[in-house]
Amino acid sequence: MPPAFSEGLNEAQRNAVEQLEGPVLMLAGAGTGKTKALTTRLAHLLYSGRAAPGQLLAVTFTNKAAREMKERVAELLGRPSVEGWWLGTFHALAARILRREAEAVGLKSNFTILDSDDQLRLLKQVMQAENIDEKAWPPRALMSIIERWKDRALTPDRVSSEDSSEFAGGRAPTLYALYQRRLKELNACDFGDLLMHCVSLFQNNEEVLRRYQEQFRYLLVDEYQDTNIAQYLWLRLLAQKHRNICCVGDDDQSIYGWRGAEVGNILRFEQDFPGAHIVRLERNYRSTPNILGAASGLISHNAGRLGKTLWTDGDQGEPVRVRGLWDGEAEARFVGDEIEALQTKGHALSEIAILVRTGAQTREFEERFVTLGLPYRVVGGPRFYERMEIRDALAYLRLLVSMDNDLAFERICNKPKRGLGEAALKTLHEVARAGGLSLFDAARRLTETDELRPQARRALKSFIGLFDKWRDDMLQMPHPELAETVLEESGYTDMWRQDKSIEAPGRLENLKELIDALAEFETLAGFLEHVSLVMDNLEDTSQDQVSVMTLHAAKGLEFETVFLPGWEEGLFPNQRALDEQALKGLEEERRLAYVGLTRAKVRAIVSFAANRRLYGSWAAAIPSRFIDELPEEHKVQESDQGLYGASAQAWGGGRFGGFDDWGETRVSPGMMRARERASDKVIDVQAQSVEKLSPNTAGYAPKARVFHRKFGYGTVDMVDGDRLTIRFDHGGEKKVMASFVVPADEAD
DNA sequence: CCGGGGTCCATTTTT
DNA sequence: TGGACCCCGG
C-alpha cells in the first residue's frame, strides 16, 4: 500500500484496509474513522490493480453517503472521478441491474419507479376495486404491510395469510398480489420492488446470477446494521463466488428496525461468512472521555451486543449536563439561553444541534428561536422533489417521454383545470381497459367518438394536441427549453401565477429551480432516472445556523455542542416503541439515545420537562430511565430542585437552587384550561409560594389525599420511591414526582 | 369545483 | 393542540 494511503491510519484501520481477501466485518464505533478506512480500502483496491472499477460493488443507504465516498476515493487516487464503477445506494444499483435484465422479471427496461405518493394512490385504486372500506382499513396501513413483506423479499406467492390476518379480514395477501399485477401492467416498480425483483431474478436465473457474481470481485457495504432481509439476500447472492465482502457497521447504532432493518444481519455475520475477519475500530476521534463514558455506560444496558470498548485519550472534558425544567416552554427557553451564551463566547451556531425524538418537538424550539432572532434550520421536512408543483411538472415530462405512463397522465390531465374531471377519467379508464390501451391512447380514441360530452371532448383534443406538438419540439429543442415550453403552454405556470395564496411565488421559484437542475443533465430521460432515485435535498451550509432535527436524521453527523431535550418516559423512550416492541423497542430507543450522545464532540446537554403538552392536554412526565443509566461519574445534575427525584439528594446545593423557571412560569391559556378541567378551581400560579412546593421525596402513603398544581386533587395509589401513582379526581391516573404534590390539606 | 366545517388522529424515514 | 382528510353545500 502506498504510504500516502496508510498515512494517518491507526492499526485497526490499517487492518481493515489491508485485509482484502475473504469476508471482513468492520465493527466501527461512532466517530472511529469508519469512512476514512472505507474509502482508503476502496482506493487501495483500485490502486493496487486488484480490481478494475467495474469489478467493485460499493453500497450505501443514502445518496449523500454515496456522494461522499465517491469524492473521497477520487481525492485519494488523485483523479477527478472514477468512471464505470458500481458505487451507489442499494436502490440505485438494483435499478441499474434491473434495467438490463428487466425482461426476466416481466418488465420493460424503461420501467418507471414510483415514489411513495404514487404507490399509495395505486394501492387506493386497488382497494377501491375490491370494495374495501378505506376508513376501516387505511391504505397506509396496507402500504406498510406490503413494504415489510418486500423488505423480507416475500413475493405475493410466498406470504401466508396469517402474516396479516387482521387486515381487511385476511385479504392483505390478495391485495398485495393485485397491486403487484397492477404495477406490472403499468411497467412500474416501487422502491421495495427494486431489491425484491433483483433477488428473485438472481434466485430464478442462474446464468444471470453467475454473470454478476463473476463481475463483482469485491463488495463493500456501509451501515450493514441497517440492511433488511432483501438487501442481505441480494448481497449474499452476489458475494457467493468470490467471497470478498467487507461489511461495515455498528450494532449499537441500529435504529431502523421499525422499517425492516435486521440487526441480526450484523450479529450473524460470522455464521453467514465463515472464516470472517473481524476488525474493531474502537479508537474514537470525536468525543471527550466524559461523553464517551456516558454513552458507553448507557448502551451497556442493552443485551446481545457484539461489544466494543470505545476509548479516547485527552482531557476528560465536561460531564454531560442533565437539566430538568418545569415544562416544554421552559426547556426551549433554557436551550435558547444556553445557545446565546455560547454564541457570545464565540461559538459557531453551525456547531450546535438540537436532537429530538419526534418531529413535533421541533416546534417549541422554533418558536423560541424566532422570538430570540436566533438563526436555525430544521433538517428534514419535505424534500424538493416531493413538492406538489415539482411532482406535477415531472409528471408532464414523464408523460412526454413515455406516453403510456398512466399515473403521470392521471396526475396532470386536469392540472390546470381543463374540465377533464372524474367523469371523463372514468370513461377513459373504461376505454383503456376494454381496448388494452394506455390512457393517452384511449384519450386519442375518445376524441373521435361521441362517448364524451362535447366539452370534455374538446378539452381532450387540445390536451392531446399539446403533447403532439411537444413531441415535435422534443426533436430539436434543448430539454431545459422544452420543459419550460411545456410548463408555459400547458398553462401550468400560469395556474400558479394566478394563484394568490402565499405559497404560490415559492412554487414558481421551485419550478425555475427544476429547469435549472434539468440543464445539468445530458438527456431528459437521464434526468428523470436521477430524480426517481436521488430525491435528496442539498443542504445549505453557507449560513451559520443552529440545526434542529430528529435523532434519526442526526446519524452520521457530529457537532461541538448537542442538546438532547425531552428525555422523559413515554416520549423517550417512546411509549409506542415500548408498546409495539417491548424489550426490542426499548433497546432500539436506547441505541437512539446512544446515537444522540455520540454526536457530541465537546458537550452534551440532556434535558427533560416535568410537564409536557401532548395532543393539546397536559401530561405529567417523569425523567427518562436513560438519565439514570448515564453513569454518575460522567454526568452532572443541575436540575431545578425537586424536578429530578432519583438523585435529588445527590446534588445538594441551595434549597431552591434553580427556581427561576418556576417563578417565570406564565399561565398560558392551555394551562389555564387544563387546570380548570382538573380542579374547577383556578389557582394563581404566581401566588403559589415556593415553600408550598418544596421537595417532598417521601412521606406519602397510598390513600393519601394530595394536590397537584396542574391536575388538582387526587388520591395516592402507589408509591415507588419518589414516584407516585395518583388517581386524580378529574383526569384519571398519572405518575408524578412526589415533589410536585403537596398534602391536600396544605393546598389553598 | 371550491371551501367550510366536522372528525379523527397523533414516532422514527430512505429510496 | 393542530393537521390531514372527508363530506357536503353552494
Side-chain angles (χ1 to χ4, degrees):
Chain A
M1 183 160 64
F5 286 0
S6 56
E7 203 180 322
L9 293 180
N10 65 35
E11 203 188 322
Q13 288 171 327
R14 198 171 313 133
N15 256 329
V17 170
E18 286 175 344
Q19 181 59 52
L20 297 177
E21 308 301 316
V24 174
L25 177 61
M26 197 196 301
L27 284 174
T32 54
K34 166 193 83 164
T35 312
K36 188 173 183 184
L38 224 143
T39 48
T40 311
R41 188 182 161 97
L42 277 174
H44 184 30
L45 276 166
L46 291 171
Y47 186 85
S48 66
R50 278 189 174 77
Q55 295 174 318
L56 278 180
L57 184 75
V59 201
T60 64
F61 270 87
T62 64
N63 293 301
K64 192 176 157 208
R67 219 179 300 131
E68 253 171 46
M69 211 180 289
K70 265 179 207 163
E71 282 165 13
R72 290 181 63 166
V73 176
E75 199 182 315
L76 279 167
L77 292 172
R79 26 177 150 154
S81 68
V82 181
E83 297 296 323
W85 65 354
W86 291 66
L87 189 158
T89 63
F90 276 102
H91 292 90
L93 296 171
R96 193 159 152 195
I97 293 175
L98 226 45
R99 291 250 184 250
R100 301 172 160 193
E101 320 289 340
E103 289 76 20
V105 292
L107 290 166
K108 287 184 277 171
S109 93
N110 66 345
F111 61 82
T112 40
I113 299 167
L114 303 193
D115 60 33
S116 40
D117 218 82
D118 298 326
Q119 204 183 333
L120 191 64
R121 279 198 303 159
L122 198 59
L123 220 40
K124 275 185 190 163
Q125 288 176 13
V126 170
M127 289 176 74
Q128 271 157 18
E130 288 295 293
N131 292 314
I132 292 194
D133 179 6
E134 283 190 33
K135 288 227 186 65
W137 307 107
R140 274 183 188 286
L142 180 61
M143 181 155 104
S144 107
I145 290 171
I146 292 176
E147 276 173 351
R148 293 297 81 77
W149 278 331
K150 293 187 176 181
D151 287 341
R152 290 151 65 197
L154 292 174
T155 45
D157 54 300
R158 291 177 57 207
V159 304
S160 51
S161 49
E162 67 260 30
D163 269 350
S164 67
S165 48
E166 68 283 4
F167 192 90
R171 295 174 72 192
T174 314
L175 293 166
Y176 177 27
L178 290 168
Y179 169 68
Q180 290 305 99
R181 199 169 80 195
R182 231 8 231 134
L183 284 172
K184 286 258 165 89
E185 284 165 7
L186 290 162
N187 189 32
C189 263
D190 63 24
F191 286 117
D193 283 339
L194 292 173
L195 277 145
M196 190 175 74
H197 285 336
C198 232
V199 169
S200 307
L201 168 77
F202 292 155
Q203 284 173 339
N204 304 329
N205 210 314
E206 247 177 272
E207 183 272 325
V208 176
L209 174 63
R210 197 165 317 128
R211 205 150 24 88
Y212 288 98
Q213 279 180 340
E214 303 268 331
Q215 180 182 346
F216 299 126
R217 299 176 62 92
Y218 294 92
L219 281 77
L220 199 127
V221 189
D222 194 15
E223 306 279 15
Y224 191 59
Q225 78 283 348
D226 287 334
T227 50
N228 61 33
I229 292 177
Q231 289 157 341
Y232 160 77
L233 290 171
W234 188 81
L235 289 168
R236 213 183 54 174
L237 284 162
L238 285 172
Q240 252 160 22
K241 172 91 198 323
H242 295 288
R243 292 181 32 89
N244 297 325
I245 180 168
C246 172
C247 293
V248 189
D250 180 0
D251 49 322
D252 291 333
Q253 292 187 65
S254 157
I255 54 173
Y256 285 109
W258 50 273
R259 71 177 196 210
E262 292 277 331
V263 214
N265 290 346
I266 193 166
L267 301 176
R268 259 195 350 262
F269 189 82
E270 282 182 278
Q271 284 107 284
D272 287 334
F273 299 97
H277 285 263
I278 313 284
V279 184
R280 286 188 155 77
L281 303 192
E282 296 179 309
R283 175 169 187 178
N284 176 290
Y285 294 97
R286 180 185 294 154
S287 313
T288 62
N290 260 328
I291 289 166
L292 225 46
S296 302
L298 176 91
I299 201 66
S300 69
H301 288 84
N302 271 6
R305 303 166 53 218
L306 288 170
K308 288 182 295 331
T309 317
L310 293 190
W311 63 277
T312 181
D313 39 27
D315 190 59
Q316 277 300 111
E318 304 168 30
V320 173
R321 293 166 62 192
V322 179
R323 176 74 176 248
L325 296 123
W326 173 245
D327 60 13
E329 202 189 319
E331 188 181 47
R333 237 180 298 136
F334 162 70
V335 171
D337 292 349
E338 291 282 322
I339 293 175
E340 287 196 319
L342 287 167
Q343 196 179 20
T344 311
K345 281 191 262 170
H347 293 261
L349 297 182
S350 58
E351 278 296 328
I352 300 174
I354 298 159
L355 310 182
V356 294
R357 177 63 183 82
T358 71
Q361 285 171 264
T362 60
R363 223 176 103 189
E364 253 163 340
F365 293 100
E366 290 192 65
E367 279 169 8
R368 187 62 194 157
F369 296 165
V370 167
T371 311
L372 293 175
L374 197 65
Y376 71 92
R377 72 183 146 153
V378 178
V379 179
R383 284 168 303 173
F384 186 71
Y385 291 111
E386 273 168 8
R387 289 166 209 207
M388 189 214 311
E389 67 278 14
I390 300 303
R391 295 170 50 84
D392 289 339
L394 288 173
Y396 270 103
L397 300 177
R398 291 211 167 100
L399 186 55
L400 192 57
V401 170
S402 12
M403 307 285 266
D404 56 356
N405 190 330
D406 286 359
L407 287 167
F409 183 99
E410 266 181 81
R411 185 173 182 100
I412 46 95
C413 70
N414 205 25
K415 261 187 185 194
K417 304 257 175 296
R418 334 183 141 84
L420 291 171
E422 221 173 303
L425 204 57
K426 190 161 172 277
T427 316
L428 272 164
H429 268 294
E430 280 162 13
V431 172
R433 184 171 308 184
L437 302 168
S438 66
L439 289 175
F440 199 94
D441 288 334
R444 207 180 280 280
R445 183 172 299 183
L446 275 172
T447 58
E448 286 147 20
T449 68
D450 292 325
E451 281 164 275
L452 284 179
R453 295 208 228 141
Q455 207 185 5
R457 198 173 137 185
R458 221 173 305 125
L460 213 48
K461 206 167 200 156
S462 78
F463 181 70
I464 289 172
L466 283 169
F467 273 88
D468 287 340
K469 175 193 174 277
W470 297 329
R471 282 185 79 86
D472 283 341
D473 292 343
M474 223 166 142
L475 300 173
Q476 16 86 28
M477 216 179 252
H479 50 272
E481 196 188 328
L482 175 73
E484 217 170 344
T485 309
V486 168
L487 294 180
E488 275 306 325
E489 294 180 358
S490 63
Y492 190 76
T493 327
D494 271 333
M495 182 180 93
W496 289 116
R497 281 197 198 105
Q498 279 152 30
D499 190 308
K500 54 204 177 308
S501 66
I502 16 166
E503 306 97 75
R507 296 196 195 273
L508 285 164
E509 203 53 44
N510 290 335
L511 289 170
K512 265 204 207 91
E513 225 177 288
L514 179 79
I515 310 270
D516 290 343
L518 192 53
E520 318 219 329
F521 285 79
E522 298 251 323
T523 66
L524 192 51
F527 174 75
L528 292 172
E529 177 80 355
H530 170 83
V531 295
S532 297
L533 292 166
V534 189
M535 304 244 290
D536 60 349
N537 266 342
L538 292 176
E539 56 209 73
D540 172 23
T541 47
S542 62
Q543 289 164 63
D544 190 35
Q545 295 172 316
V546 174
S547 302
V548 185
M549 68 188 100
T550 62
L551 287 157
H552 284 92
K555 197 165 77 149
L557 307 177
E558 58 176 29
F559 302 89
E560 224 164 65
T561 305
V562 168
F563 288 91
L564 298 161
W567 281 38
E568 294 135 37
E569 285 294 306
L571 181 59
F572 191 39
N574 192 273
Q575 193 56 47
R576 256 184 98 153
L578 302 184
D579 292 346
E580 286 165 17
Q581 296 281 344
L583 184 62
K584 205 170 156 241
L586 174 64
E587 295 206 333
E588 186 155 306
E589 294 286 300
R590 193 178 278 119
R591 290 193 290 267
L592 206 45
Y594 175 78
V595 166
L597 282 167
T598 53
R599 296 313 97 197
K601 292 192 269 193
V602 177
R603 64 186 71 77
I605 300 133
V606 170
S607 59
F608 64 91
N611 297 282
R612 176 100 30 208
R613 205 143 86 181
L614 195 64
Y615 311 143
S617 54
W618 284 95
I622 55 176
S624 169
R625 68 190 82 186
F626 296 154
I627 291 176
D628 297 332
E629 292 173 4
L630 301 174
E632 281 315 320
E633 64 270 31
H634 298 300
K635 72 176 164 196
V636 52
Q637 309 278 355
E638 49 184 53
S639 305
D640 301 341
Q641 179 111 25
L643 288 174
Y644 186 75
S647 51
Q649 319 89 312
W651 61 276
R655 212 165 64 125
F656 302 118
F659 251 26
D660 20 55
D661 284 296
W662 280 27
E664 273 179 42
T665 304
R666 275 160 302 179
V667 187
S668 68
M671 224 161 110
M672 202 68 145
R673 272 193 298 272
R675 278 197 286 119
E676 278 163 354
R677 219 181 301 145
S679 64
D680 295 327
K681 186 178 158 193
V682 180
I683 295 110
D684 183 5
V685 169
Q686 303 289 349
Q688 183 102 15
S689 78
V690 151
E691 276 74 18
K692 280 277 154 57
L693 297 157
S694 61
N696 258 305
T697 43
Y700 291 105
K703 299 214 174 84
R705 287 289 289 167
V706 294
F707 175 78
H708 182 280
R709 281 170 69 194
K710 268 183 180 152
F711 304 121
Y713 290 92
T715 307
V716 175
D717 218 36
M718 269 174 6
V719 182
D720 170 19
D722 49 6
R723 295 169 186 198
L724 306 177
T725 305
I726 298 170
R727 190 185 310 280
F728 287 101
D729 301 350
H730 308 272
E733 202 165 82
K734 292 180 164 50
K735 278 191 184 155
V736 299
M737 305 297 302
S739 49
F740 284 144
V741 299
V742 293
D745 50 20
E746 284 178 31
D748 353 277

